[in-house]
């Protein structure tokens, strides 16, 4: 139950922070800043939790909740880095490129459904 609440509250907090950043810096530059900050903070959190004992609830609150609500771009990049670190460079780059291409195709398809 604490895991659920941590993700729920953290996700709300992350979404509000994303909204506030978007208000401060409008347009695509706001999204850029959110994505770069999210990537930095998930890297920081990953390194922090790798070196220190922390309960799974705190990790879920920060990484899945706050940063997941702030941006999923950070998780996408962490997945890429973990695949690379595991020696799976081929799969990592396939994941990187396929995610962008599939995302663009899905965006285009979604826009065409109503337009």
């Amino acid at each position: 139950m604490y895991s659920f609440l941590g993700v729920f509250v953290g996700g709300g907090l992350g979404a509000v922070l994303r909204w506030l950043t978007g208000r401060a810096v409008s347009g695509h530059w706001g999204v850029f800043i959110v994505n770069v900050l999210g990537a930095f903070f998930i890297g920081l959190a990953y390194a922090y939790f790798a070196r220190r004992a922390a309960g799974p609830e705190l990790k879920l609150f920060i990484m899945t909740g706050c940063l997941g609500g702030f941006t999923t771009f950070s998780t996408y990049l962490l997945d890429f880095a973990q695949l690379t670190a595991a020696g799976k460079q081929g799969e990592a780059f396939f994941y990187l490129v396929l995610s962008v291409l599939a995302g663009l195709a899905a965006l285009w398809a979604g826009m065409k459904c109503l337009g």
Side-chain angles (χ1 to χ4, degrees), residues 93-105:
F93 283 98
F94 180 71
Y95 172 74
L96 188 75
V97 171
L98 184 63
S99 294
V100 171
L101 295 177
L104 287 171

Side-chain angles (χ1 to χ4, degrees), residues 17-67:
L17 290 172
R18 180 178 63 226
W19 174 73
L20 289 171
T21 304
R23 285 182 51 127
V25 182
S26 63
H28 62 278
W29 291 114
V31 173
F32 174 81
I33 289 170
V34 163
N35 286 336
V36 172
L37 284 174
F40 172 77
F41 285 125
I42 204 163
L44 188 67
Y46 180 78
Y48 178 84
F49 290 130
R51 291 180 175 92
R52 290 169 180 80
E57 293 84 7
L58 181 60
K59 292 178 190 176
L60 285 169
F61 170 73
I62 291 174
M63 295 179 76
T64 304
C66 292
L67 294 172

Side-chain angles (χ1 to χ4, degrees), residues 75-93:
T75 305
Y76 161 66
L77 292 176
L78 179 61
D79 288 343
F80 171 77
Q82 288 177 321
L83 285 167
T84 303
K88 299 178 180 179
Q89 283 76 12
E91 184 178 353
F93 283 98

